[in-house]
Amino acid sequence: MLVVGIDVGSTSAKAVLFDGRIKVYAIQPTGWSPREAGAEVLAEILDKAGLSRREVANIVGTGYGRVALNFIDQAVTEITCQARGINYLTGKAGTIIDIGGQDTKVITVNEQGKVVDFVMNDKCAAGTGRFLEVMATAMGMDVDELGSLPENVNPVNISSMCTVFAESEVISLLAGGVAREEIVAGLHRAVARRVKSMLKNTAPATVVFTGGGAKNEGLRRALAAELGVEVMVPAEPQITGALGAAIIAWEGNGGAVAHN
């Protein structure tokens, strides 16, 4: 049996083909149409596996674009799917920090992969991938470069998390001769402190970092420093929601799932 999970987020669409384990996955930019992005990422994994749509028993969609996917069998929230995907990968209770293009989520799950609590920041860009993208542009950098700057840099204080005000602050710091490395370290610390506030300043025992933001090593280090715990990143942190959707599709067709 083969099933598919599709996660259409604000900046990227992800799909996982699942047969009890991850068989194939793909990631594409969402672009202007969530429906087209979902259809295209599905076509990519089917092409990679040499399959047709008729050979897929069940498709579950998630992410903000799930409502636009008229070819799926079921839609499930990204909170539930993230919990199931991470539980499959770790087999542990813990906290998921998901930083995507337009929102930040903090999800607490139990050992069965059930959601115990969650907090989401989706009212503004503060602390999201969009926030870091705007700051990178202000510094003449690509957002992918932010995570590769040297460690052991003294972070400059960033006083505002409002994207508009923070952008002005970054430009002023550059004009004042502050090194870009110190500004980037300050931005990472500011985002980490915002996430910590979403945790109500508690220190979780196990933290898994997902979403596109998890590919930023500097941000991972800043989160670990602020939270005082190890912050784990899956091998491909962008597909965990699609993986959870695939697991729900698998179980919906009677499949049993063992931890990875």
Side-chain angles (χ1 to χ4, degrees), residues 156-234:
V156 69
N157 185 54
I158 302 294
S159 59
S160 178
M161 283 300 288
C162 168
T163 304
V164 175
F165 292 144
E167 182 182 23
S168 297
E169 189 173 355
V170 165
I171 292 170
S172 296
L173 290 167
L174 288 170
V178 178
R180 289 196 307 182
E181 291 82 354
E182 295 177 17
I183 297 173
V184 172
L187 290 166
H188 287 160
R189 185 176 65 179
V191 173
R193 286 178 173 175
R194 184 171 180 83
V195 171
K196 186 178 181 180
S197 73
M198 294 172 70
L199 283 160
K200 301 180 177 63
N201 295 321
T202 58
T206 302
V207 175
V208 182
F209 188 18
T210 64
K215 293 193 169 183
N216 181 329
E217 172 59 17
L219 183 52
R220 187 203 65 78
R221 289 197 301 267
L223 282 167
E226 285 298 320
L227 300 177
V229 296
E230 180 186 2
V231 174
M232 298 180 288
V233 176

Side-chain angles (χ1 to χ4, degrees), residues 133-167:
E133 185 179 341
V134 171
M135 300 310 132
T137 301
M139 290 184 286
M141 302 171 67
D142 187 275
V143 69
D144 293 337
E145 297 178 69
L146 297 181
S148 60
L149 294 179
E151 298 183 49
N152 303 320
V153 175
N154 290 325
V156 69
N157 185 54
I158 302 294
S159 59
S160 178
M161 283 300 288
C162 168
T163 304
V164 175
F165 292 144
E167 182 182 23

Side-chain angles (χ1 to χ4, degrees), residues 23-40:
K23 189 173 179 66
V24 176
Y25 71 86
I27 303 171
Q28 293 191 12
T30 298
W32 66 274
S33 170
R35 180 179 299 174
E36 285 192 12
E40 288 173 3

